[in-house]
Amino acid sequence: MSNTLIVLSGPSGVGKGTIVKRLLEKGGFELSVSCTTRAPRAGEKDGVSYFFIPRDRFTQLIREGGFLEYSEHFGNYYGTPKFFVESKLKTRDVILEIDVDGALAVKKAYPAALLIMIAPPDREELKKRLLLRGTETAEGIEQRLSRLDYELSKQSGYDYVVINGNLDKAVKEIENIIENEKQNR
């Protein structure tokens, strides 16, 4: 059985980070580390949180095709480095936790990638989760919710969509999807 590139994405607040944490705790997976041109925040470590690289190096890697996907947000670049993913896939499954546009770009660059969208049960539940996180302003929550329809409209580009109404069930469903895909590849 070969190792699998697993891409998890979905709207902000849907539980991607928690699901990824659970999968990593079970073992056998490596979380991909992205590159960024932004400065490290307190507590972040180069090569663990991100690969922090200068803008000119990032743009050089873009020209050289060094990313599976990349984008620019708030004046900084973020991207999934091919070298890291390819080296980790030699020994284990790799998980990417990225946005929907990035996920679809990865699928173009790496057609064997397994794309799983994590969706909320409904808009109200997502809003409740965003409020409970306590990390967003009311305006920030509305911005994230306004992107919901766009993100969910990209479902057809995914291999699977998992509704995260119950965390344990969603994690189990994703584990089953991964196992079935690995057996059928």
Side-chain angles (χ1 to χ4, degrees), residues 27-40:
F29 298 103
E30 178 86 26
L31 182 63
S32 179
V33 178
S34 296
C35 293
T36 186
T37 57
R38 76 162 171 76

Side-chain angles (χ1 to χ4, degrees), residues 34-37 55 58-59 61-73 76-82 98-99 101-106 109:
S34 296
C35 293
T36 186
T37 57
R55 189 175 189 85
F58 198 105
T59 56
L61 285 168
I62 291 171
R63 288 190 302 275
E64 294 171 353
F67 293 105
L68 291 176
E69 59 84 31
Y70 69 92
S71 60
E72 188 174 11
H73 299 281
N76 291 299
Y77 280 114
Y78 296 83
T80 302
K82 273 187 190 177
I98 56 178
D99 70 15
D101 294 323
L104 296 173
V106 167

